[in-house]
């Protein structure tokens, strides 16, 4: 009997639903995971690997080529002329057969000695292009980190906003319950009670809406992290203090000067100018001579020769080499066009660099302005929240004593909720913008 009881209890324990806590992701967890798994970032890394292959190809082009070839041929001549001769390789064969076989074997090598340094400059150009591809990947990584940080802070704000909304809802329920008591004793009309009930329902909807916003921001963050499973997802961070939101804001000039030296988009634009200089050199080299050398060995065999195969290979062995010089005289303006287009490309890169510098400064200045404004709003919101809290506490006491009407109570509660949410929003936005300024200044997020 006892065994049956324990077996049943064990079965119930095994079948009982197990609550699994959601994994708590820190900001660094999110960033590290995204840097490894984000598809856009992986694509940019593939482009970098492709550019590295171009570097290896251009480096290999500096070396001589080497190729081996052979041909095996069988011929049938049903009516050969009597006393005729047949050419087999470089030899005249006096024997003529109706069916005969020829074999040739050769190894050839070609090397471009000099072509105006086009090949060497191409290696340099491909290296610059590979570096630019790596910088593209770094730019993408920075953009992803910014998006993650923004969503992360939004999630933290939503979680706090939900707590404020829940506290407001609890207050609305208590006011509704107090109103019901007033109605029972005849000191409040049912119309006023209906307003309190509507306020409670509105606050319930506010909680639902806040929770929906939180789920949506989590969904966006999971998408950025390329997470597709159904596992519970949540973020965690140290509770941000007021001091964090009110910390000193880095200056625009200091951040901008530091960013010029570390931001990958600026380095990329600078390398674009360097690559255009190499393209100009490559284009100019088209009007210079090209010098090449070649060498090769060859031999052949035939069935019309009475010597054995090894003897024929030895007797017909040939070693040769040569030098070639190609001098362009008239190329239908292709060289001049290539040079002009390379110079125009350089101007485009120079303009692109100025544009990226302007965009960078504007972005930093915007973060700075937002940080300053949100800090000021946070300080003001703290005073407003304190004032609204004291006012509502007084209104609530007076309402409990039936000295204030429903409208006054509801207005006071709405003012308090608005002040609390404004304070939270200003606090988190100040923290976010200060973190973004530091990210542009030193390249790391904490």
């Amino acid at each position: 009997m006892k065994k049956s009881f324990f077996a049943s209890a064990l079965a119930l324990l095994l079948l009982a639903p197990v609550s699994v806590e959601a994994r708590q992701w820190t900001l660094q967890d999110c960033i590290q995971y995204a840097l490894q798994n984000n598809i856009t970032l992986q694509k940019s890394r593939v482009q970098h690997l492709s550019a590295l292959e171009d570097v290896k190809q251009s480096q290999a082009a500096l070396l001589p080529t080497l190729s081996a070839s052979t041909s095996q041929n069988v011929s049938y001549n049903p009516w050969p002329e009597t006393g005729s001769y047949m050419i087999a390789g470089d030899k005249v064969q006096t024997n003529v057969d109706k069916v005969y076989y020829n074999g040739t074997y050769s190894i050839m090598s070609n090397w471009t000695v000099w072509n105006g340094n086009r090949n060497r400059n191409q290696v340099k150009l491909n290296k610059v292009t590979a570096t630019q591809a790596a910088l593209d990947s770094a730019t993408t990584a920075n953009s992803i980190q910014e998006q993650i940080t923004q969503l992360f802070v939004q999630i933290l704000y939503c979680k706090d906003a939900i707590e404020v909304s829940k506290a407001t809802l609890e207050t609305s329920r208590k006011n509704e319950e107090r109103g019901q008591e007033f109605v029972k004793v005849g000191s409040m009309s049912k119309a006023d009670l209906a307003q309190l009930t509507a306020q409670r329902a509105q606050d319930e909807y506010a909680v639902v809406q806040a929770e929906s916003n939180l789920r949506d921001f989590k969904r966006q963050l999971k998408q950025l992290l390329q997470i597709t499973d159904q596992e519970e997802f949540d973020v965690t961070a140290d509770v941000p203090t007021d001091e964090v939101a009110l910390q000193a804001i880095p200056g625009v000039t200091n951040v901008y000067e530091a960013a010029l030296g570390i931001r990958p988009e600026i380095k990329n634009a600078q390398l674009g100018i360097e690559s255009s200089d190499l393209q100009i050199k490559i284009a100019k080299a088209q009007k210079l001579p090209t010098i090449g050398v070649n060498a090769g060995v060859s031999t052949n065999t035939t069935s019309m020769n009475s010597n054995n195969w090894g003897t024929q290979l030895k007797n017909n062995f040939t070693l040769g080499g040569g030098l070639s010089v190609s001098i362009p005289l008239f190329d239908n303006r292709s060289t001049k066009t290539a040079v002009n287009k390379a110079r125009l490309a350089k101007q485009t890169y120079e303009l692109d660099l100025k544009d990226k510098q302007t965009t960078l400064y504007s972005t930093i200045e915007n973060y700075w302005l937002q940080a300053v404004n949100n800090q000021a709003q946070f300080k003001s919101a703290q005073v407003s929240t304190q004032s609204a809290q004291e006012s509502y506490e007084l209104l609530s006491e007076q309402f409990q004593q039936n000295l204030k009407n429903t409208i006054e109570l509801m207005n006071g509660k709405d003012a308090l909720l608005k002040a609390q949410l404004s304070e939270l929003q200003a606090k988190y936005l100040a923290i976010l913008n200060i973190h973004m300024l530091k990210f542009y200044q030193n390249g790391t997020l904490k």
Side-chain angles (χ1 to χ4, degrees):
M1 185 69 179
K2 290 183 178 180
K3 291 183 178 179
S4 176
F5 172 78
F6 285 121
S8 299
L10 179 60
L12 289 174
L13 288 173
L14 293 175
L15 294 174
V18 180
S19 60
V20 180
E21 293 186 0
R23 174 182 172 182
Q24 301 294 310
W25 293 70
T26 65
L27 178 60
Q28 289 302 316
D29 290 337
C30 293
I31 290 175
Q32 292 300 322
Y33 188 89
L35 293 180
Q36 295 177 3
N37 296 277
N38 184 268
I39 292 178
T40 302
L41 187 55
Q42 291 185 59
K43 287 181 178 179
S44 66
R45 288 171 179 160
V46 171
Q47 294 296 321
H48 178 224
L49 294 176
S50 177
L52 290 176
E53 291 298 319
D54 291 335
V55 173
K56 295 176 182 178
Q57 177 63 49
S58 59
Q59 289 174 331
L62 299 175
L63 304 174
T65 62
L66 183 65
S67 61
S69 64
T70 181
S71 64
Q72 309 296 320
N73 303 293
V74 177
S75 300
Y76 174 59
N77 184 6
W79 302 287
E81 181 181 356
T82 304
S84 62
Y85 302 94
M86 180 66 67
I87 301 295
D90 295 332
K91 305 294 182 180
V92 178
Q93 305 296 339
T94 57
N95 295 329
V96 178
D97 298 328
K98 289 185 177 182
V99 179
Y100 57 92
Y101 154 82
N102 288 325
T104 61
Y105 312 88
S106 64
I107 297 177
M108 298 296 298
S109 176
N110 292 280
W111 179 35
T112 300
V113 179
W114 190 77
N115 63 351
N117 280 332
R118 274 182 293 171
N119 49 4
R120 290 170 176 79
N121 285 328
Q122 187 63 49
V123 173
K124 296 178 182 178
L125 178 60
N126 288 343
K127 287 182 177 180
V128 171
T129 303
T131 304
Q132 286 183 292
L135 291 172
D136 284 336
S137 180
T139 301
T140 302
N142 281 348
S143 176
I144 290 173
Q145 290 183 71
E146 286 189 51
Q147 295 177 62
I148 288 174
T149 304
Q150 291 168 356
L151 289 171
F152 195 92
V153 172
Q154 284 282 8
I155 291 172
L156 294 179
Y157 163 73
C158 285
K159 293 172 76 171
D160 280 358
I162 289 173
E163 295 303 318
V164 171
S165 298
K166 286 182 176 179
T168 302
L169 173 60
E170 184 62 27
T171 301
S172 295
R173 286 172 175 165
K174 291 180 180 179
N175 290 337
E176 183 184 16
E177 293 172 357
R178 184 60 175 167
Q180 291 172 346
E181 294 175 359
F182 286 156
V183 170
K184 289 179 180 179
V185 299
S187 60
M188 177 183 286
S189 68
K190 291 185 177 180
D192 288 339
L193 176 60
Q195 289 181 333
L196 290 176
T197 302
Q199 180 67 53
R200 186 261 304 159
Q202 181 179 343
D203 290 341
E204 286 179 344
Y205 176 77
V207 172
V208 172
Q209 186 64 41
E211 290 175 341
S212 176
N213 291 336
L214 175 60
R215 287 192 294 270
D216 186 61
F217 283 123
K218 287 183 179 180
R219 178 196 60 79
Q220 294 180 47
L221 182 54
K222 287 178 65 176
Q223 180 182 7
L224 204 58
L225 301 181
Q226 308 295 159
I227 297 177
T228 57
D229 56 47
Q230 295 297 317
E231 182 181 351
E232 288 296 323
F233 178 88
D234 200 3
V235 303
T236 183
D238 294 334
V239 178
T241 62
D242 294 349
E243 289 74 16
V244 175
L246 296 174
Q247 64 182 294
I249 301 173
V252 176
T253 302
N254 292 334
V255 176
Y256 176 67
E257 290 177 351
L260 286 177
I262 64 174
R263 293 295 293 185
E265 63 269 26
I266 300 299
K267 294 181 179 180
N268 200 333
Q270 293 170 340
L271 285 177
I273 298 175
E274 183 179 338
S275 70
S276 61
D277 288 333
L278 290 170
Q279 289 171 345
I280 291 173
K281 292 180 180 179
I282 292 172
K284 287 181 176 180
Q286 293 181 18
K287 59 185 177 182
L288 299 176
T290 299
I291 301 174
V293 295
N294 60 82
V297 294
S298 63
T299 186
N300 60 82
T301 61
T302 179
S303 62
M304 294 183 293
N305 193 315
S306 58
N307 293 330
N308 59 45
W309 190 74
T311 302
Q312 289 188 59
L313 288 177
K314 178 180 178 181
N315 293 339
N316 297 332
F317 180 82
T318 304
L319 175 64
L323 174 70
S324 64
V325 179
S326 175
I327 303 175
L329 298 177
F330 181 71
D331 61 359
N332 301 98
R333 203 183 181 274
S334 62
T335 300
K336 186 174 182 180
T337 299
V339 172
N340 290 341
K341 292 182 72 172
R343 286 172 175 166
L344 292 173
K346 181 177 181 179
Q347 294 180 21
T348 301
Y349 279 119
E350 290 172 344
L351 293 173
D352 186 51
L353 174 60
K354 292 181 180 179
D355 182 57
K356 281 183 167 55
Q357 289 172 338
T358 302
T359 301
L360 177 63
Y361 185 87
S362 178
T363 301
I364 292 172
E365 187 177 33
N366 179 61
Y367 280 133
W368 182 84
L369 288 173
Q370 292 296 325
V372 171
N373 292 338
N374 286 305
Q375 270 195 354
Q377 291 175 10
F378 179 56
K379 294 176 182 178
S380 176
Q382 285 180 311
V383 176
S384 298
T385 300
Q386 181 65 28
S387 175
Q389 181 69 41
E390 294 174 355
S391 176
Y392 179 72
E393 289 175 355
L394 179 60
L395 283 170
S396 182
E397 290 178 4
Q398 293 175 335
F399 176 76
Q400 297 294 330
Q401 301 171 8
N402 205 16
L403 298 176
K404 290 293 183 180
N405 60 38
T406 307
I407 300 299
E408 291 174 313
L409 179 68
M410 292 170 59
N411 289 339
K413 189 173 71 65
D414 288 341
L416 175 59
L417 177 61
K418 183 178 180 181
Q420 288 173 329
L421 292 178
S422 296
E423 180 182 348
L424 272 179
Q425 186 178 45
K427 177 180 179 179
Y428 278 102
L429 285 176
I431 293 172
L432 172 63
N433 287 289
I434 292 173
H435 274 68
M436 287 296 98
L437 285 171
K438 292 183 177 180
F439 177 55
Y440 275 75
Q441 188 174 28
N442 55 41
T444 58
L445 280 168
K446 298 180 180 178

